[in-house]
Amino acid sequence: MMEYVLDTSQLREYAPKLKAGDRVILSGTVYTSRDAAHKRIEQLIEEEKPLPYDLKDAVIYYAGPTPAPENLAIGSCGPTTSGRMDVFTPDFLDRGVVAMIGKGERNQAVCDAIVRNKAVYLCAIGGAGALASKCISSCEVIAFEDLGCESVKKLAFDRFPLTVAIDCSGGNIFVREK
C-alpha cells in the first residue's frame, strides 16, 4: 500500500496510479452533495440549465455538514452512506466527476463507471465527523440553501485523510476473495 499527498487538481492524473487500499491525504476544492442535491443537479442536467459547479474533474463529498461553531470553518462533517447516490453516480462520472468521497460499498453500475471513466472512490472514516472537520479550512454554500445541511457546499480540504476504496482498475476493498 502506498500513501499519496495530493491536491484535488492532481486526481485525474493520479487516479490510474491509485490502488484499492492506498492512503490519500487530500487538499483542495471539494463539493458536498447528498441525495436531495443530487436529484436537483440531475434535474438541472435534464433541463439543460447551469449547474452549481462544473462536474469536469470535480470531487464530490457525500456529506451534510452541521453548522459551524464560532471560530471554525465548519461543524461536524463526516461521510454519509454512498450507496444512496448510486442511482445518479454513473451519469455524474460520465460527465467528468473524477472522485467521490463517502463510506460503504457501491453497486456494480458505479464500479463499472469508475473503471470506464478512470475515476476513484475514496472512503473517509465514518463516525469521526468532528475530527474530519479539522481538515476543512473553508465552507461556502453555493446551491440549494433551502436544503439546510444537504445544500451544496464548496469546501477547502487541508490534508484530509482518505482510503482508496475502488480504483479505476476495478480494485475494491469491499470485495473479499474466497
Side-chain angles (χ1 to χ4, degrees):
M1 315 250 178
M2 300 286 293
E3 180 172 291
Y4 295 86
V5 179
L6 299 174
D7 185 86
T8 54
S9 64
Q10 298 173 293
L11 280 173
R12 182 64 66 194
E13 172 190 350
Y14 275 85
K17 300 172 188 171
L18 300 174
K19 300 298 174 206
D22 285 350
R23 182 175 163 92
V24 174
I25 307 301
L26 190 63
S27 298
T29 301
V30 174
Y31 300 95
T32 66
S33 191
R34 287 178 36 170
D35 321 46
H38 270 60
K39 185 174 182 178
R40 287 195 187 173
I41 291 170
E42 191 68 36
Q43 185 174 5
L44 291 173
I45 290 168
E46 289 171 10
E47 296 172 357
E48 298 181 2
K49 292 184 177 176
L51 303 181
Y53 58 91
D54 187 359
L55 295 180
K56 178 78 172 124
D57 295 330
V59 178
I60 299 175
Y61 183 23
Y62 303 135
T66 62
E70 192 173 326
N71 300 322
L72 293 178
I74 198 166
S76 181
C77 192
T80 195
T81 303
S82 302
R84 295 198 321 260
M85 275 56 72
D86 282 0
V87 66
F88 305 104
T89 302
D91 184 44
F92 281 33
L93 287 163
D94 290 343
R95 292 176 183 277
V97 168
V98 68
M100 297 92 27
I101 301 167
K103 68 178 182 181
E105 298 180 53
R106 307 307 298 268
N107 70 24
Q108 191 60 50
V110 171
C111 294
D112 293 344
I114 289 169
V115 172
R116 179 173 65 247
N117 291 286
K118 296 182 175 42
V120 65
Y121 170 52
L122 305 164
C123 280
I125 297 171
L131 183 60
S133 71
K134 296 182 185 304
C135 298
I136 300 171
S137 58
S138 71
C139 173
E140 172 190 1
V141 175
I142 62 167
F144 317 135
E145 190 170 358
D146 62 301
L147 295 178
C149 74
E150 288 198 46
S151 63
V152 175
K153 296 169 185 72
K154 180 179 179 181
L155 306 179
F157 272 21
D158 184 19
R159 299 186 52 81
F160 199 106
L162 300 161
T163 300
V164 176
I166 303 172
D167 64 42
C168 67
S169 299
N172 187 330
I173 65 170
F174 300 106
V175 174
R176 304 282 186 239
E177 299 295 325
K178 293 184 179 191

